[in-house]
Amino acid sequence: MKVTQIYIYPVKSLGGISLNNSQLSDRGLEFDRRWLLINEEGEVMTQRSYPSLVYFLTLIRKDGIGIVFSKDGSQCLIPFQTSSSKREKVSVWGDEFEMVEVSKAVSHWFSDKLGEQVRLMYQPDDSLRFIDPRYAVTDKDVVSTADGYPVLMISEASLEDLNGRLDEPVEMLRFRPNLVIDGIEAYAEDNLGSIKIGEAELIGVKNYGRCVMVTIDPKEATLGKEPLKTLSTYRKDGSKVLFGRNFLVGSNGAIQVGDSVELVTF
């Protein structure tokens, strides 16, 4: 097994960035989902309710995260750190933790593009959001603003199998993985336990239940039925439709495309 693709999504529900290498720490890949948007009611904004978020593309720059609004090409820069000290509670899937607003100027830029008042928030390093204790390995396991776990992994074979069942194939980015691996049979990632990649160790804890977000057309920002409809015919477990596996971080370290994925426990 080896790593074939690495992705991060600095702002929750905005575009992803393909990387050749990254640093893995306790809450996931560097810069992954450390920012998010909230509306006037303080609710977290995701593509589930705001499909137009697909129009915001992201890239890493020397001095921060660059955002490009693909509808008009306008750009905004999010600094890696914010000087704001005013903290407020934000809730992601029932987990409350502290975040700070990046700046009024950045929030205004997003508000202008979305046509409503929104704010861009950042999770400081000392703001801890703990893993669901049912799946945590230790009481210190943490995560960023991701749905629940630091790392999501999908195999090339799983997507190939799914696309073989669809009338129109979909790209891997529909499923927003952090790591894509090859050299394993379709859906065999479901059973991965502890693995080593480069200097890092990851611990597989839970297969990922998908939602309508994977049906959003990235060009039209509209909800459809596929690939969720097809997945539900053969990947359903109770009320959940599974695709990909969630991992905790056992030990930090650098990883890169081409690294071997070594099995520690299955």
Side-chain angles (χ1 to χ4, degrees):
M1 295 182 287
K2 69 176 182 179
V3 176
T4 58
Q5 300 170 61
I6 299 173
Y7 293 103
I8 60 170
Y9 311 86
V11 183
K12 186 176 179 67
S13 255
L14 269 58
I17 302 172
S18 175
L19 301 173
N20 288 322
N21 56 75
S22 184
Q23 188 72 29
L24 189 66
S25 64
D26 54 359
R27 73 182 84 198
L29 295 173
E30 188 176 23
F31 306 128
D32 188 46
R33 296 177 175 94
R34 296 297 296 274
W35 294 265
L36 56 71
L37 289 163
I38 59 174
N39 61 19
E40 278 191 294
E41 288 71 42
E43 300 166 332
V44 174
M45 301 171 66
T46 72
Q47 289 181 30
R48 298 175 185 87
S49 302
Y50 297 85
S52 60
L53 294 180
V54 300
Y55 294 132
F56 292 94
L57 311 179
T58 59
L59 60 151
I60 294 180
R61 291 182 172 167
K62 183 170 56 178
D63 47 355
I65 303 296
I67 307 293
V68 179
F69 186 56
S70 63
K71 296 284 282 185
D72 62 14
S74 60
Q75 300 184 30
C76 176
L77 181 69
I78 303 171
F80 287 129
Q81 298 291 335
T82 177
S83 58
S84 174
S85 59
K86 183 181 179 182
R87 304 244 175 155
E88 55 188 285
K89 293 289 183 69
V90 173
S91 178
V92 174
W93 292 109
D95 299 331
E96 280 198 341
F97 54 97
E98 292 184 333
M99 302 190 77
V100 296
E101 185 174 8
V102 172
S103 73
K104 296 297 182 185
V106 170
S107 292
H108 177 75
W109 185 84
F110 277 101
S111 298
D112 180 62
K113 301 307 172 187
L114 289 166
E116 63 176 282
Q117 291 299 310
V118 305
R119 289 187 293 153
L120 184 72
M121 311 296 289
Y122 172 71
Q123 181 189 23
D125 290 342
D126 61 353
S127 173
L128 302 180
R129 176 189 173 208
F130 292 96
I131 297 289
D132 184 333
R134 293 176 297 172
Y135 300 100
V137 175
T138 75
D139 60 3
K140 296 181 180 180
D141 290 326
V142 294
V143 63
S144 63
T145 75
D147 278 357
Y149 303 89
V151 175
L152 175 64
M153 179 185 292
I154 298 174
S155 71
E156 300 268 11
S158 295
L159 181 64
E160 183 178 353
D161 179 84
L162 169 60
N163 279 335
R165 302 166 188 261
L166 296 172
D167 292 333
E168 295 185 13
V170 295
E171 296 181 349
M172 184 65 82
L173 274 174
R174 280 280 188 113
F175 302 97
R176 302 176 72 82
N178 294 115
L179 301 177
V180 180
I181 64 170
D182 203 359
I184 192 172
E185 294 182 356
Y187 314 111
E189 63 267 34
D190 288 0
N191 301 308
L192 291 179
S194 294
I195 56 175
K196 288 194 70 176
I197 302 176
E199 303 169 351
E201 183 175 350
L202 295 93
I203 304 167
V205 291
K206 186 177 183 291
N207 295 330
Y208 191 26
R210 312 310 306 214
C211 68
V212 295
M213 192 166 156
V214 302
T215 72
I216 297 173
D217 184 325
K219 295 181 180 179
E220 303 296 332
T222 54
L223 289 168
K225 294 183 178 179
E226 296 290 8
L228 200 59
K229 179 181 178 181
T230 294
L231 276 172
S232 68
T233 64
Y234 71 105
R235 291 287 296 167
K236 201 164 186 180
D237 181 14
S239 61
K240 296 181 178 180
V241 179
L242 305 178
F243 196 78
R245 184 160 176 80
N246 292 120
F247 287 78
L248 303 180
V249 179
S251 61
N252 301 348
I255 60 172
Q256 62 182 6
V257 170
D259 275 349
S260 295
V261 180
E262 300 175 15
L263 191 63
V264 179
T265 62
F266 194 69

